[in-house]
Amino acid sequence: MKLETLDARMRTMEYFHQVRLLPGAWAIVRVDGRAFSRLTAEHFEKPFDGRFHEHMLKTAEALLTEFEGLYVYTESDEISFLLPRAWSQFDREWEKLVSLAAGVASAAFTHAWGKPAHFDSRIWLGPRDDDVIDYFRWRQADALRCALNGCCYWTLRNVGETPHAAERRLAQLTTEEKRALLAEHAIDFDALPGWQRVGTGLFWETYEKRGFNPKTQTETTAVRRRIAREENLPQGDAYGQMLVKLIDRAEASNQVERRG
Ligand SMILES: Nc1nc2c(ncn2[C@@H]2O[C@H](COP(=O)(O)OP(=O)(O)O)[C@@H](O)[C@H]2O)c(=O)[nH]1
Ligand SMILES: [Mg+2]
């Protein structure tokens, strides 16, 4: 068989290589730590560990930077990042994005922690701005639910309940009853740090950097950008409004860059 023929036939079998992100659709990539229940049980404080959270933030920053994202949200062992509508890296190839996102996250977390850790990755596509808002409100609601469960679970374990008994008891409680359970043990759930309850948001912000030009002997200012961390995210509608503003601003500056 001629090499060109073999080459063409083999390439058609790279079946998913043709798949692209839908043009004009919003794309969000979510990476999630693989088997992090075991990893965190062995190496980190329960139910929350500031060191673990810092490794997740470093990982989130790497994703925001590598993929030129607009917004990153992290809670527990997962990170979601939003791409600009007109994102064009890798010709919008699905395979590249999903594999590199997991690769970048795994490398960044491993580098931060100093031990190997792996992430999986999936892609969400949404046609409307409101879908994006709903997505992040969905993940935040998940954060809140998991944080409340995790707090209750470890409170019960710390007073001597077995894993099975603690889980069984929690399964029968409503949200309000879980808060009451914590209050009985002198824990005010709403007073816990924001990152533990509702996750953390990261986004680009601009700032003015002052300098000095020795040639002209004048002071200079340059507009630079850096990553901001929001550890006290609002909830519900207020979170939605924050996201709308952030997306509008980022999309507007992308338009200017594309025209310029
Ligand atoms: N000890 C500890 N565990 C955490 C922390 N953040 C997330 N986790 C755990 O990470 C796990 C994430 O859940 P999930 O992705 O469903 O589990 P996986 O499939 O084993 O990765 C849960 O078991 C959480 O309790 C933390 O700060 N400390
Ligand atoms: Mg996980």
Side-chain angles (χ1 to χ4, degrees):
M1 191 187 294
K2 274 175 52 183
L3 186 57
E4 296 91 275
T5 318
L6 181 65
D7 186 64
R9 194 163 74 82
M10 290 299 110
R11 283 192 190 284
T12 61
M13 289 168 165
E14 288 180 341
Y15 189 75
F16 297 102
H17 195 60
Q18 307 301 324
V19 182
R20 300 274 186 288
L21 301 185
L22 203 63
W26 289 110
I28 297 173
V29 184
R30 182 163 80 256
V31 300
D32 186 292
R34 176 182 173 225
F36 269 34
S37 295
R38 197 176 62 219
L39 181 145
T40 49
E42 283 174 12
H43 301 281
F44 293 98
E45 298 286 324
K46 302 164 187 66
F48 304 108
D49 187 315
R51 259 181 333 128
F52 176 78
H53 177 56
E54 187 56 37
H55 300 336
M56 291 300 292
L57 292 178
K58 285 275 182 301
T59 309
E61 287 177 357
L63 291 166
L64 189 61
T65 307
E66 286 294 330
F67 298 98
E68 283 292 325
L70 295 185
Y71 177 67
V72 187
Y73 173 71
T74 180
E75 55 114 345
S76 185
D77 71 335
E78 68 171 59
I79 302 169
S80 298
F81 61 96
L82 172 69
L83 298 173
R85 254 189 205 276
W87 188 76
S88 60
Q89 284 183 30
F90 321 119
D91 200 18
R92 291 174 77 86
E93 276 177 35
W94 180 85
E95 273 189 340
K96 282 269 191 198
L97 178 58
V98 78
S99 60
L100 279 170
V104 167
S106 303
F109 191 96
T110 297
H111 183 65
W113 185 34
K115 295 192 176 94
H118 309 137
F119 284 77
D120 65 28
S121 168
R122 69 186 66 188
I123 295 174
W124 171 99
L125 290 177
R128 301 173 312 136
D129 292 5
D130 282 351
D131 296 323
V132 173
I133 309 305
D134 286 347
Y135 175 93
F136 285 109
R137 286 184 62 170
W138 170 51
R139 294 326 298 156
Q140 194 183 56
D142 180 76
L144 203 58
R145 187 182 55 82
C146 293
L148 187 59
N149 275 338
C151 272
C152 288
Y153 177 81
W154 285 108
T155 301
L156 293 174
R157 291 292 311 280
N158 288 338
V159 295
E161 289 205 15
T162 63
H164 184 65
E167 268 169 30
R168 228 185 28 206
R169 186 150 161 216
L170 278 181
Q172 290 159 356
L173 298 184
T174 64
T175 302
E176 278 320 306
E177 287 166 343
K178 286 176 191 168
R179 283 172 183 271
L181 171 83
L182 291 177
E184 276 167 33
H185 291 88
I187 300 169
D188 177 3
F189 183 72
D190 295 321
L192 294 180
W195 66 265
Q196 297 182 2
R197 287 177 295 111
V198 289
T200 307
L202 297 95
F203 47 86
W204 295 105
E205 67 176 8
T206 53
Y207 69 102
E208 283 192 349
K209 190 168 192 266
R210 294 191 177 280
F212 186 75
N213 184 335
K215 265 191 191 157
T216 56
Q217 291 287 302
T218 51
E219 289 205 348
T220 57
T221 50
V223 177
R224 296 275 152 79
R225 61 174 204 165
R226 65 185 167 204
I227 295 175
R229 292 176 176 184
E230 182 50 83
E231 297 265 27
N232 285 300
L233 285 174
Q235 293 177 53
D237 286 343
Y239 185 38
Q241 281 154 18
M242 180 198 120
L243 290 169
V244 167
K245 263 198 222 146
L246 202 134
I247 291 168
D248 284 352
R249 204 176 54 216
E251 284 289 271
S253 80
N254 272 1
Q255 301 274 337
V256 172
E257 274 165 31
R258 274 203 299 278
R259 276 202 302 269

